[in-house]
Amino acid sequence: MYRFSFIALIFIGCNTSPQHSTDFTKENLFTTGVEGPAVNANGDLFAVNIEKEGTIGIVNSEGEGKIYLELPEGSTGNGIRFDKKGNMFIADYAAHNVLTVKKGIKTAEVWAHNPAMNQPNDLAISPTNVIYLSDPNWKESTGNLWMVNASKEIVLLEENMGTTNGIEVSPDGKKLYVNESVQRNVWQYDINKDGSISNKTKLIVFDDFGLDGMRCDEKGNLYIARYGKGIIAIISPEGKIIEEVILTGKKPTNITFGGKDGKTCFVTMQSRGSIETFKAKHAGSYFKQIH
């Protein structure tokens, strides 16, 4: 009996050991502006600012990257997402745009523009193709929340929030999640039929470090880049911390799901100019939508 208990304790200890990331690309392949990891239906991994600012990079399965395209002069990308048709959408914080790159074409075009935005940081796309944008003002520690309607107009949903940053839609398309980097809050909204939002509630608040990009897995768990802490925090739909994945770098900026089964996570790392990786228990919800 004593021996069984000892072995059981060892087994439990192994199961509760924190997961660690590994390097996927070499250091400094990207600039410190590396952001917006996104995987298309073909399994290609993209991220912004490879080799120099104002570029979109593509990385193969071996972690080797190159410039996929250069953005128009004056534009710099941040978040990237793909729609179900394979079109790429980019939050262009420098020129206050949402850019699009149509499937099969390597030219970025303006999809929507609004000079009233501070600097569109990240974006999420709902199952009904509504685009949501976070829009921080880092100097004032404030931020706004926007959506792009069917007429390609960028419409203000909420203003004077905290520093809005990570943004995601739940797998069923019924919830919108937005975090505030400086204030460390994660907010949850109901998404109405017209794409507008209501019933704002606080999902979770953290006591330290910052928050950056985040994505949902197919079960509705949120994977949040904890900027400065060097972890990915996995949060249940009820707002409970399930797991913390330890990263090599301390300044993760965003995360996406890819690989053959959608369970490989790719994390962009500002402090290293690189991408790190780890395996998730569940596939990404967005990965499931575009396949």
Side-chain angles (χ1 to χ4, degrees):
M1 184 70 178
Y2 177 82
R3 185 178 176 213
F4 175 79
S5 299
F6 178 72
I7 293 172
L9 284 172
I10 293 175
F11 181 76
I12 293 170
C14 290
N15 274 354
T16 57
S17 297
Q19 185 177 181
H20 292 252
S21 69
T22 58
D23 286 350
F24 184 65
T25 71
K26 65 180 182 181
E27 285 193 342
N28 302 316
L29 175 63
F30 293 82
T31 73
T32 55
V34 61
E35 250 277 16
V39 174
N40 66 10
N42 294 330
D44 301 315
L45 173 63
F46 299 84
V48 304
N49 300 324
I50 191 169
E51 298 182 12
K52 60 182 180 178
E53 299 287 294
T55 60
I56 303 295
I58 184 170
V59 183
N60 66 21
S61 59
E62 303 300 317
E64 300 165 337
K66 63 181 180 180
I67 293 176
Y68 180 73
L69 63 86
E70 296 194 25
L71 299 179
E73 185 176 353
S75 292
T76 306
N78 210 71
I80 298 176
R81 296 289 171 103
F82 285 91
D83 67 11
K84 295 176 183 178
K85 295 180 180 179
N87 302 310
M88 178 190 292
F89 292 87
I90 306 160
D92 171 13
Y93 75 87
H96 310 279
N97 296 320
V98 175
L99 302 174
T100 186
V101 179
K102 295 179 181 178
K103 183 178 180 181
I105 299 175
K106 292 187 179 182
T107 302
E109 301 175 351
V110 175
W111 179 259
H113 172 76
N114 191 330
M117 290 192 290
N118 300 307
Q119 50 172 58
N121 184 77
D122 203 357
L123 71 166
I125 302 178
S126 76
T128 57
N129 291 320
V130 176
I131 297 175
Y132 296 96
L133 294 162
S134 61
D135 180 31
N137 182 330
W138 295 103
K139 184 178 180 180
E140 303 295 333
S141 295
T142 62
N144 302 320
L145 179 60
W146 306 79
M147 65 175 280
V148 183
N149 65 20
S151 300
K152 301 183 184 179
E153 297 172 319
I154 300 177
V155 179
L156 183 64
L157 295 176
E158 186 174 352
E159 60 184 338
N160 297 321
M161 297 177 64
T163 48
T164 49
N165 196 334
I167 189 165
E168 178 62 309
V169 176
S170 62
D172 60 8
K174 295 181 178 180
K175 301 289 185 182
L176 177 69
Y177 302 104
V178 182
N179 71 41
E180 298 169 332
S181 291
V182 175
Q183 295 77 14
R184 309 185 189 102
N185 297 315
V186 181
W187 297 101
Q188 173 183 277
Y189 302 82
D190 290 337
I191 297 178
N192 305 318
K193 289 184 178 180
D194 63 355
S196 62
I197 54 176
S198 58
N199 299 325
K200 179 181 181 181
T201 58
K202 188 176 291 185
L203 182 69
I204 189 172
V205 59
F206 293 90
D207 295 329
D208 55 10
F209 299 98
L211 310 181
D212 212 311
M214 57 186 186
R215 295 282 178 94
C216 277
D217 67 19
E218 60 186 334
K219 301 296 184 181
N221 303 310
L222 272 175
Y223 291 56
I224 305 174
R226 297 295 320 281
Y227 186 88
K229 190 173 185 179
I231 68 167
I232 297 296
I234 304 175
I235 311 299
S236 74
E238 295 74 36
K240 305 298 182 182
I241 298 176
I242 299 172
E243 184 181 352
E244 291 185 339
V245 179
I246 299 173
L247 306 170
T248 301
K250 293 296 184 183
K251 296 180 178 179
T253 57
N254 218 322
I255 181 171
T256 196
F257 290 79
K260 293 181 179 180
D261 57 2
K263 297 179 181 179
T264 301
C265 292
F266 299 103
V267 181
T268 47
M269 189 64 62
Q270 182 191 76
S271 52
R272 305 181 67 209
S274 65
I275 297 175
E276 300 179 20
T277 187
F278 67 91
K279 290 292 289 186
K281 294 178 182 178
H282 308 290
S285 65
Y286 195 67
F287 180 90
K288 289 286 188 177
Q289 289 177 30
I290 65 174
H291 283 79

